[in-house]
Amino acid sequence: MGHVKIITKRATISMDRETFIRGIVQQVADGASLRFFSSKGFQIIAGGMAKKLDVSLCRENIRKYVLEEEQRVINEIKKAVRNKLVYIKMDGVRKHHRDFVGINVQFYCNEKQSSVVKTLACVESKERKTGENLADIVVNILEKYGIKLTNVLALVVDSASNMTKTANILNTMSCQSEDLENEQQELTDPSSFTEENLNEMSTRLNIHHQRCSVHLLQLCVKKGLECSSSNQLVRHVRKIATSMRRPKIMSSLDNDGYNRPKLDMETRWGSTYKMIDRLCELQPAIDKLAVGNDDFMVSEENWRKIRHLKEVLSAAFVTTTRLEEEHLTPGDFVREWAALHHLLSTKTTCVVSSTIAGEMVRRKNLLFNNRILVAATFLDPRYVILFF
């Protein structure tokens, strides 16, 4: 009887100390806890390599690696934005009863010959998100990166009243900062601003307040879905989708090779679109279930309305995705906004389409009442400006 020869495969990996530490920092950035690196599994995989490279995996040293990398990134961004005009984007979110504020900077990079977006901070806000508090957060973050208020070309925020007030306060501070450089005057404390001196900025805009196009489009679509006809149709779709998520029906769908139905979050119309899209995909199964069960009965007329609503929401969903692209230019934005409005305007028999199109016209001035946006679009060689 012959012997079986077992061949053990070994891998030799070339790794320097800096790359290894950068990988650890990336793991932390991706959500790994500091205790993960002392776990038995990680020690089996990389413990020997860490010893060879003289990298300590204790919590204190890993924390030091992360802070050193943070400072390196800060210095890199400071160098990149020095003396450049920048766009600042800001938004807030609430997660697990905690409030966070995220701030991005966008600027033109000569070396790459394109715009660059960098995240400056995502900080927890433990105070009320008033305009004054948000302005303080923005100023502190900009100072950290050496960005002067006078170098901020525009602030992109949604239409919430506190965000609008933040833009106004920063504008006033920018004007005062310019006066300080020219006349050596002291900056006024933001908490002392009144509605009267905030309104004086109408004739002196240093930082252009740019409304978030995606947020305004969401408001337009939400208004369209509030129409009684579409609201009733969505409730009908949601009821069917809920009924189809019974364990016995889900098992049957799995056996027949169908995808499972989706349920929406009523406050997020994108999830409503995905629910309707999946329901249209499941029409053969629903028609089969409707035999002898009125809970799944959908008339041919209602199927026609559901497919039409899906078509309208699909167009808005695609436009939303395009408006969220990192390197979106003003010319691209104008094209996407105008194309969607034209498409919806042609569907004159649909209440949802005409409502969304009407809302887009009504809110257009909030977007296009911005000299920087108009000038940038006018200089775009791809378009003859007939939109304004």
Side-chain angles (χ1 to χ4, degrees), residues 20 54 79 99 123 161 181 199 230 312 322 349 370 374:
F20 189 79
D54 192 27
K79 182 179 178 182
D99 292 316
V123 297
S161 58
E181 291 178 359
N199 291 332
S230 62
V312 172
R322 290 173 178 168
T349 58
N370 185 307
V374 174

Side-chain angles (χ1 to χ4, degrees), residues 169-181:
I169 290 174
L170 291 174
N171 243 314
T172 301
M173 294 176 70
S174 176
C175 293
Q176 292 180 336
S177 178
E178 188 174 26
D179 291 340
L180 178 62
E181 291 178 359

Side-chain angles (χ1 to χ4, degrees), residues 55 68 132 140 179 184 211 220 270 323 349 358 362:
V55 175
E68 287 175 350
E132 291 81 4
N140 291 335
D179 291 340
Q184 300 300 312
R211 308 281 180 145
C220 295
L323 292 177
T349 58
R362 189 174 73 83

Side-chain angles (χ1 to χ4, degrees), residues 80-121:
V81 300
R82 185 176 297 142
N83 298 325
K84 287 188 176 179
L85 294 175
V86 300
Y87 265 65
I88 298 296
K89 302 177 183 179
M90 178 175 66
D91 202 359
V93 66
R94 186 172 179 81
K95 187 80 170 179
H96 300 304
H97 308 291
R98 298 169 67 189
D99 292 316
F100 295 90
V101 176
I103 300 176
N104 286 350
V105 63
Q106 186 170 17
F107 58 93
Y108 185 80
C109 178
N110 294 324
E111 291 77 14
K112 296 182 179 180
Q113 293 189 344
S114 67
S115 63
V116 175
V117 177
K118 295 288 186 180
T119 298
L120 298 185

Side-chain angles (χ1 to χ4, degrees), residues 24-60:
I24 290 176
V25 172
Q26 187 61 54
Q27 287 273 51
V28 175
D30 291 340
S33 65
L34 299 185
R35 78 176 75 178
F36 166 75
F37 301 98
S38 59
S39 66
K40 185 178 292 186
F42 187 82
Q43 289 291 335
I44 291 173
I45 295 172
M49 188 182 301
K51 289 180 181 178
K52 287 278 187 181
L53 297 173
D54 192 27
V55 175
S56 172
L57 296 177
C58 69
R59 293 170 61 95
E60 292 74 17

